[in-house]
Amino acid sequence: MTPLRPLPRLMVAPNGARRGKADHRALPITLEETVATAVACQEAGADGLHLHVRDKEGKHSLDTGLYREAIAALEHAVPDLFLQVTSEAAGRYSAGAQRAMIRELRPPSVSVALREMLRARTETQNARAFYAWAHAEGVDVQHIVYSAQELNWLLECIDQKVVPGTHHQLQLVLGSYAGSVLPSPGDLEAYLVPLNARKADLTFDWMVCAFGSAETACLAHAATLGGKVRVGFENSLWNADGSLARDNAARVAEVRAVLNETASVDEAGLTVYPRSR
């Protein structure tokens, strides 16, 4: 078992599982578009990429062959970019299929939603075996939680040894695709209460994503508190001023500028960001 690699400071999620060209013509669907987007986003300041692949019809896929092809192309084009694959079900895959993909692909980093791994009580033993396998094999799992209640559920799973380990990577989600209630920076506080309560026995490498035009404000707030951030068309198509973004690289550039404002410079001249709690 190897220690978890730290999450990147700024990860781009350029497409997700649901949006397509009808939502924004610059949203990448093909492998060629994804690679070009990755190059542009790295140049704009992204340190990592959250990877979704699409099938020939442009639909969300967990096909390991498509993943391997995409990873090889990205490692060639942007070798220094942190790559993370998704295991998102998106209404197409069962928990068993998600686990099977991860076991076959064995990615260094994968995002996994607790509520997809534990959709029913009967899944507990399967989930326990999967998380133990990933922990032992060095497959880093970033746990996606969509509310403070889900975070408390994850903490219970850690206490019950369903999820092993004392250091965990988190994706804290503000808002939703439905967009019925826009997120605000203050929504993050509900997550931080249980995290701070467990600082004595657990450590967390946490990242925030937010939906809609409040994305930049929410990520800026997270950065001031030591969090890492995920930006991109999976979650938002809009700039802070409410205008439609030109492309993913434009969203990365805006958020990178915000991160730079929260950074300081140490005596050696290196950029220092606030540390995750």
Side-chain angles (χ1 to χ4, degrees):
M1 183 184 69
T2 57
L4 298 181
R5 294 183 305 156
L7 291 169
R9 182 70 181 165
L10 194 165
M11 181 181 288
V12 63
N15 51 11
R18 294 168 175 80
R19 287 183 167 136
K21 295 294 187 183
D23 298 292
H24 198 299
R25 63 182 182 181
L27 188 142
I29 298 294
T30 66
L31 175 55
E32 292 75 15
E33 290 172 341
T34 299
V35 171
T37 297
V39 171
C41 287
Q42 185 180 49
E43 292 175 350
D47 309 307
L49 183 137
H50 175 70
L51 178 63
H52 285 251
V53 293
R54 303 292 183 95
D55 61 20
K56 292 181 179 179
E57 297 178 350
K59 295 180 179 179
H60 169 67
S61 177
L62 295 183
D63 181 85
T64 54
L66 292 176
Y67 262 135
R68 289 193 177 102
E69 182 183 13
I71 291 169
L74 288 164
E75 287 180 342
H76 176 74
V78 282
D80 298 328
L81 201 65
F82 181 106
L83 295 182
Q84 177 190 79
V85 305
T86 185
S87 66
E88 186 174 354
R92 301 193 71 189
Y93 296 96
S94 67
Q98 291 169 280
R99 291 191 294 267
M101 180 278 289
I102 299 168
R103 286 179 181 271
E104 182 179 350
L105 186 63
R106 300 173 70 89
S109 176
V110 59
S111 63
V112 179
L114 183 68
R115 69 186 189 187
E116 293 184 349
M117 284 293 107
L118 287 168
R119 300 179 211 187
R121 290 182 181 274
T122 54
E123 289 285 355
T124 300
Q125 291 306 314
N126 289 330
R128 187 191 302 272
F130 163 73
Y131 286 120
W133 169 85
H135 186 67
E137 295 296 320
V139 174
D140 296 349
V141 172
Q142 184 182 21
H143 304 281
I144 310 171
V145 289
Y146 293 87
S147 66
Q149 290 74 23
E150 283 195 16
L151 176 56
N152 283 318
W153 181 24
L154 173 62
L155 294 174
E156 290 175 6
C157 289
I158 293 170
D159 289 339
Q160 296 164 4
K161 308 301 182 184
V162 174
V163 177
T166 59
H167 179 66
H168 300 277
Q169 296 179 342
L170 306 176
Q171 179 69 62
L172 309 179
V173 181
L174 303 181
S176 67
Y177 281 106
S180 54
V181 178
L182 290 177
S184 68
D187 294 343
L188 180 59
E189 307 307 320
Y191 285 112
L192 298 184
V193 170
L195 290 187
N196 288 332
R198 297 300 298 269
K199 285 193 296 186
D201 61 329
L202 298 174
T203 57
F204 304 96
D205 188 1
W206 57 275
M207 178 176 282
V208 172
C209 66
F211 287 85
S213 58
E215 180 182 47
T216 298
C218 290
L219 301 188
H221 183 59
T224 64
L225 297 175
K228 296 173 180 178
V229 302
R230 195 183 84 180
V231 63
F233 282 3
E234 174 169 356
N235 300 111
S236 175
L237 307 174
W238 296 277
N239 297 315
D241 63 5
S243 62
L244 189 67
R246 182 187 70 251
D247 53 23
N248 277 285
R251 294 297 305 124
V252 169
E254 180 173 90
V255 173
R256 172 52 70 182
V258 168
L259 296 190
N260 288 343
E261 290 176 1
T262 70
S264 60
V265 178
D266 68 8
E267 293 181 356
L270 300 175
T271 302
V272 180
Y273 296 100
R275 297 183 65 180
S276 297
R277 297 179 179 181

